[in-house]
């Protein structure tokens, strides 16, 4: 049975939470061509959607990717432009893992035709649903909010120096979200007891940058979590319920603040 490209749940609040990197499905024609190290899907945003199990209580819509970012990266632009010029990264159709290990066995990487087919099959439907939901929310409420949910290992030397803060909030340096909303959310993060930064190493990927248009009443924030905040130590990626029980209320308060800040602003006219 073919796995769904995404899972979508509609909510009543003016908020969509996107999970573009939690997918772990791998098409059968791709998996045998990967190097052994890649079969563990190490660069997955492991279990991040499960962290946000309060989303329905807040009335948020959710969009959860089904396929691995190794197939196509849903948080990269179709033209594969580098989102962080001068810094290492991975592309729209990745050919290396975060640590620089090649993804494919020699001579087994995708050609241009296969790359285009992956974009059509996986990238386009996810973004079509994302666009449609933001349009629905804006039509219903007069504005729409987008929260792009991510996680990454605390230390990835190829991508950043040292150890990443626990909570990495991004508004594309203020371009994707009203400053008052981002600042209010960031204050919650700062008061949480976790280390936090706004527009640090991760300012927001394609989803945040492309869809966040405050002048058009669509506000987008990205949160990149250090995986030390919620994963258990060890080789097998599993949630640590003790860590999660501390983190979830903070995430919930951050999102509730995003919602309340926007509601107050638009109610005031």
């Amino acid at each position: 049975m073919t796995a769904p490209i995404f899972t979508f749940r509609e909510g009543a609040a003016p908020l969509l939470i996107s999970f573009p990197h939690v997918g772990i499905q791998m098409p059968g024609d791709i998996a045998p061509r990967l190097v052994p190290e890649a079969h563990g899907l190490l660069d997955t945003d492991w279990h991040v959607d499960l962290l946000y199990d309060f989303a329905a209580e807040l009335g948020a819509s959710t969009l959860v990717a089904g396929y691995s970012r190794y197939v196509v990266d849903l948080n990269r632009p179709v033209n594969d432009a580098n989102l962080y010029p001068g810094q290492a990264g991975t592309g729209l159709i990745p050919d290396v893992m975060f640590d620089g290990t090649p993804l494919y066995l020699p001579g087994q990487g995708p050609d241009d035709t296969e790359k285009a087919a992956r974009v059509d099959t996986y990238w386009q439907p996810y973004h079509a649903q994302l666009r449609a939901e933001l349009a629905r929310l804006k039509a219903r409420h007069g504005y729409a909010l987008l929260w792009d949910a991510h996680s990454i290992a605390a230390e990835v030397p190829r991508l950043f120096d040292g150890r990443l803060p626990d909570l990495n909030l991004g508004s594309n340096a203020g371009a994707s979200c009203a400053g008052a909303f981002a600042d209010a959310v960031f204050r919650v993060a700062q008061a949480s007891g976790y280390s936090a930064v706004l527009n640090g190493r991760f300012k927001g990927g394609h989803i945040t940058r492309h869809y966040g248009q405050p002048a058009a009443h669509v506000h987008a924030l990205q949160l990149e979590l250090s995986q030390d905040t919620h994963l258990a130590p060890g080789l097998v990626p599993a949630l640590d319920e003790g860590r999660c029980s501390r983190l979830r209320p903070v995430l919930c308060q951050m999102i509730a603040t995003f919602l309340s800040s926007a509601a107050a602003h638009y109610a005031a006219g």
Side-chain angles (χ1 to χ4, degrees), residues 47 50-54 167 192 194 225 227-232 238-253:
H47 311 305
L50 301 181
L51 281 175
Y52 289 78
D53 61 0
F54 53 82
L167 310 177
S192 69
Y194 288 102
L225 292 168
Q227 291 179 342
D228 282 355
T229 62
H230 55 281
L231 293 187
L239 289 176
D240 181 310
E241 286 307 321
R243 294 178 176 183
C244 291
S245 65
R246 179 188 171 201
L247 178 62
R248 280 195 181 101
V250 175
L251 296 179
C252 186
Q253 187 180 2

Side-chain angles (χ1 to χ4, degrees), residues 156-211:
V156 186
R158 178 174 171 268
L159 299 186
F160 50 83
D161 295 330
R163 192 172 186 83
L164 200 69
D166 298 322
L167 310 177
N168 300 267
L169 195 66
S171 65
N172 191 23
S176 73
C177 180
F181 305 169
D183 289 345
V185 174
F186 185 50
R187 285 195 293 271
V188 174
Q190 289 178 300
S192 69
Y194 288 102
S195 57
V197 65
L198 174 61
N199 292 313
R201 170 61 178 86
F202 295 100
K203 297 177 175 62
H206 173 70
I207 289 173
T208 302
R209 300 182 193 202
H210 179 74
Y211 295 102

